Structures are given as structure tokens and as C-alpha cells.
Amino acid sequence: MAITPYRERPVAGLHQATDADLLVHAGRREAHAFAALVDRHFPVVHRVVWRMMNGHADAEDVAQEAFLRLWRDPSQVREGPALRGWLIRVASNIVMDRFRVRPMLDLDETGELADGRGTAEDAMDRSRAVATIDAAVAGLPERQKLAMTLVHFEQMTNIAAAAIMDVSVDALESLLARARRSLKERLAPDKSTLLATLAAERT
Amino acid sequence: MNRNHEPMTDRELDLLLAHATVPSLPEGARDRLMQRLAGEASSPPANTVVPFRRSAAAPSRIGWLAGLPLAASLALGIYLGSGGTLESYLPSTAYDMLAGNSDDAVTGIEDVESFNEDDLS
């Protein structure tokens, strides 16, 4: 099926159009409508995937794959408002499938995120402090990490996050509680240094 | 790792998490995605449907042809039966016997037995 050139038939009020409207046009293979959906949702999908993959270089590829699946069949998403959740769910499933086949390497081996542990006595600069925090998040189990990413980092409601993860709100809250407890345990040894470093950075 | 550390509060954790890396979209990522989409549009869609074998999906043409004589036979039977022309194709003895039997009144099981014995002997 031929793709409609981007400049040929722009949808009136493209940026004001709802996801549902854009999906209808995307279903007619109109690239400009799909490009608007990409502009709207690609950054958040990429952020979630990046967090899930601990900053792995393949994060962009996985985020792209979710959009390709949408492009191949936009009718998979029945309701426009559910689009963002659908994209995140597809992308996070791709991440989990990939690393089920090829387990994620240890963070120390990947070098994607530097592990800042053991630096309490050192003068800790901001980048190392951030790396320590990122490494603590990266070390969470997949589902806890996804729950934290959606609720804490992407500011989604528990209901929305639970819908994306296809779990009950109670189950999501349990994941969040375990994730926070785990993060506290991981970060507590460096707590005073981290807080001091980051506080100094702010002043 | 020192296990005798001071426990962390929720507020302290939130303060630290606020400094976690916020990944930004790599430069050119959007264009690369749109290029992949354009590539998908220009190439034929991958066939992900595994078709049934034809014989399993629908009867073969031979199967349909074999049904034609059966249908014609049924139609002929209905035509002959309804038009009264059937009797000319049946043997006369058989037809007379059927016609004669139709007039006999059957009132009970004894009559049926005698009827059978009479006619078959």
C-alpha cells in the first residue's frame, strides 16, 4: 500500500488532533498523521525502554519496534486514549522477551550505567552520585523497575500504570513498595554522601 | 557493605530519585524511525498468515461436481413423485399391492399380524 507523502495532505490542526483522530489517518497510511503520533509518544516510550534496559544502546531500536508494530496495524489500538499505554506495554514486552532469551548482562560488564558503589569515602562528584542512583534503579527486578518507571519517573497514576502492566492496583502497589524498600537498602549505605553531594550541587 | 547504616526515609529516597538520569531521545532518533516506517511502506507486508491447505479450507471442485448427480437425482425424484408419473415407472404388481393395501383398515395389532400373513403368504 502506498504511503502518503508527508507534505501532500496535512491533517488540519495536526497538533490539536486527538490520538484517535491521528490513528484513523494513520490507518489510511498517512505518514504525516503517524509522524504526529511519533512526536507525541516516542520520547516517553524511549524513556521507559531506556530505564528498563538500563541505558542499553538498543533502547532506541526497541522503542522503534513498538511504533513499527503500530504502523503495521493501527487498528490494534481500539481507543485513542489507550495508545500511549499500548505502546509502552508493547515496548516493555519486547524488552522482557529479549532479555528472557538473552539475559541482561551484569551492570559492571555492560558499562551502560556506571556503578557508583563503594565510593562513600571518596569525594563524590555529581555524575558519580547520579550513576549510583541509576545503578540502584537498574538493579531492580524487571517488573518492579517498570512499576517505578511508570509511577515515579513518568508520573502516571497507579490506575494507569496497573492497566499498562496488566495487573491489579493492589499488585502494582505491592511492586512499588518492594521496589522502594529495595532502593532504600541499596542507597542507604551512601545516603549521607549522596545527599550531601546533590545538595551541594543545588547550592 | 556496611549494614549498620541509618535507614532511609521516603522523603530522602524521593530526593535521590529526583536526581536520576532523565534519558533524552538520541539525536536523529525520530528521523531514523520515520525512515524505517517509509521502508516498511515501500516493501510488501510480511505474510504472517499460514493458510490452511485448500482441501481443509473448502471442498475441492471434484467434490462439488460429485454433488451434482445427487442433487439432480433428488430433483428428479421430487418431480416424478409430485407429478404422478412415478407409477408408470414402477412394476404394476408392486403398484397394485401398494394401492390395495392403502384401502385396508388397520384397527389393532392382531389385524396387522393377519394382514402381513395374508399378503405375504
Side-chain angles (χ1 to χ4, degrees):
Chain A
M1 190 179 288
I3 189 170
T4 306
Y6 181 77
R7 292 187 183 84
E8 195 172 285
R9 289 170 50 197
V11 175
L14 199 63
H15 294 290
Q16 287 77 37
T18 63
D19 284 354
D21 293 336
L22 294 172
L23 273 174
V24 170
H25 287 278
R28 297 174 191 152
R29 319 308 282 169
E30 294 175 13
H32 53 275
F34 199 83
L37 289 174
V38 170
D39 290 341
R40 203 171 282 182
H41 301 295
F42 195 35
V44 65
V45 174
H46 176 263
R47 283 199 301 272
V48 172
V49 172
W50 187 94
R51 193 77 64 188
M52 291 287 293
M53 297 180 73
N54 307 335
H56 197 281
D58 285 351
E60 181 187 332
D61 185 56
V62 170
Q64 283 185 0
E65 181 61 31
F67 280 85
L68 281 171
R69 291 187 186 185
L70 177 66
W71 173 250
R72 285 172 195 145
D73 185 7
S75 66
Q76 293 174 89
V77 184
R78 291 166 191 262
E79 295 176 2
L83 176 61
R84 177 170 290 194
W86 184 89
L87 286 165
I88 291 173
R89 183 163 56 245
V90 169
S92 58
N93 285 342
I94 295 171
V95 173
M96 290 182 194
D97 287 346
R98 280 200 183 189
F99 291 112
R100 197 168 291 134
V101 176
R102 180 171 56 88
M104 198 176 292
L105 296 172
D106 186 80
L107 285 171
D108 292 335
E109 294 175 32
T110 61
E112 305 293 346
L113 291 177
D115 188 349
R117 284 176 295 182
T119 58
E121 284 80 28
D122 303 336
M124 186 183 283
D125 60 12
R126 186 183 187 282
S127 62
R128 185 167 286 183
V130 170
T132 303
I133 297 165
D134 287 343
V137 175
L140 291 172
E142 282 177 352
R143 294 186 67 75
Q144 290 181 27
K145 196 178 349 181
L146 181 56
M148 278 299 289
T149 301
L150 297 178
V151 175
H152 186 89
F153 293 111
E154 295 302 329
Q155 306 286 309
M156 291 186 181
T157 64
N158 286 6
I159 294 172
I164 289 173
M165 294 184 68
D166 200 21
V167 295
S168 67
V169 174
D170 286 345
L172 178 91
E173 287 171 351
S174 171
L175 286 169
L176 287 171
R178 279 183 279 154
R180 291 182 69 86
R181 190 163 57 241
S182 177
L183 286 172
K184 284 178 184 175
E185 287 172 4
R186 287 163 193 257
L187 293 171
D190 298 329
K191 181 181 80 169
S192 52
T193 314
L194 287 168
L195 289 170
T197 303
L198 296 170
E201 187 69 22
R202 283 201 304 272
T203 55
Chain B
M1 185 182 289
N2 179 19
R3 289 284 175 189
N4 298 321
H5 49 74
E6 192 181 340
M8 183 178 281
T9 64
D10 282 329
R11 186 177 169 280
E12 288 169 334
L13 177 61
D14 288 337
L15 199 61
L16 292 180
L17 290 177
H19 288 86
T21 300
V22 179
S24 56
L25 209 55
E27 195 173 343
R30 180 194 179 280
D31 293 337
R32 285 191 289 275
L33 172 57
M34 295 311 292
Q35 280 175 0
R36 280 186 74 178
L37 294 174
E40 285 267 322
S42 60
S43 60
N47 186 7
T48 56
V49 178
V50 179
F52 284 115
R53 287 183 300 112
R54 186 173 178 82
S55 58
S60 65
R61 288 183 181 177
I62 294 173
W64 285 108
L65 289 173
L68 284 176
L70 290 172
S73 168
L74 177 65
L76 182 65
I78 292 170
Y79 169 74
L80 293 175
S82 61
T85 49
L86 181 63
E87 55 192 78
S88 63
Y89 293 98
L90 287 173
S92 59
T93 51
Y95 184 77
D96 291 344
M97 192 167 67
L98 285 171
N101 287 345
S102 64
D103 294 334
D104 292 341
V106 179
T107 56
I109 189 68
E110 295 83 6
D111 295 332
V112 172
E113 285 173 356
S114 62
F115 171 81
N116 285 336
E117 285 166 4
D118 290 346
D119 286 353
L120 296 176
S121 60

